[in-house]
Amino acid sequence: MHFTEYDTRLAAYAAIVDEQDRLLLTLSNGEGRYAPEWTMPGGGVEFEEQVEEAVVREVFEETGFHVEVGPLLLVDSWGRTAVENDGERGFKAVRVVHLALITGGTLGTTEQGGSTDEASWFPLAEVERLERTSLVDVVVGALRGGPPE
């Protein structure tokens, strides 16, 4: 499919692991279109933003934490054809994930009326038991130094 035949969404996320080997995740409410799932803190990059600025903004909105953006962990993409997208244009999400370090704040979403209902820490060893997005699997695989499980 040619790039003019689908819409692209650039999104920026943070992979934050604490000293207890826990991963910070956010609960996406699905906005009435999908079942709620745990995902990485982050989201869409605004037109005027750099990716790193979006990471900082999105993490604060969804988790209540201020972060320092670290090295790039991975870039991943996912998409749907027009047929898979109920006849609408095709769609491709380009997901940029940086490691990040918490520098302040308090756990709790600050987002009002958005797609995030909650933020919580989960031991890396238990993440596979959650209802989660594919991005979580990709990130956990990268954190463990291999492909997603």
Side-chain angles (χ1 to χ4, degrees):
M1 180 183 320
H2 191 265
F3 73 88
T4 60
E5 299 176 89
Y6 60 88
D7 296 319
T8 303
R9 177 180 185 255
L10 176 60
Y13 298 89
I16 304 169
V17 179
D18 70 5
E19 60 281 344
Q20 297 170 350
D21 211 29
R22 298 180 305 171
L23 181 64
L24 182 61
L25 297 177
T26 58
L27 183 62
S28 173
N29 59 34
E31 298 180 290
R33 298 181 311 216
Y34 309 104
E37 295 178 295
W38 290 97
T39 192
M40 304 305 302
V45 177
E46 300 295 339
F47 185 79
E48 69 282 354
E49 283 182 312
Q50 294 296 317
V51 168
E52 296 83 358
E53 293 169 333
V55 170
V56 170
R57 177 184 53 77
E58 286 282 344
V59 169
F60 179 72
E61 289 174 1
E62 294 184 354
T63 72
F65 289 125
H66 300 284
V67 295
E68 178 181 312
V69 177
L72 178 67
L73 178 65
L74 64 93
V75 176
D76 178 66
S77 63
W78 157 124
R80 294 186 299 251
T81 65
V83 171
E84 295 166 325
N85 209 23
D86 295 327
E88 295 181 20
R89 289 174 51 86
F91 174 79
K92 182 174 188 172
V94 178
R95 308 179 299 189
V96 179
V97 183
H98 280 270
L99 295 173
L101 178 66
I102 294 173
T103 60
T106 304
L107 181 64
T109 183
T110 66
E111 189 174 61
Q112 299 295 317
S115 61
T116 302
D117 285 350
E118 180 182 347
S120 191
W121 293 98
F122 294 94
L124 272 171
E126 296 178 15
V127 168
E128 67 268 2
R129 296 184 187 141
L130 301 171
E131 292 295 323
R132 63 199 182 280
T133 63
S134 62
L135 181 58
V136 173
D137 292 335
V138 172
V139 168
V140 169
L143 290 169
R144 290 180 175 159
E149 297 180 350

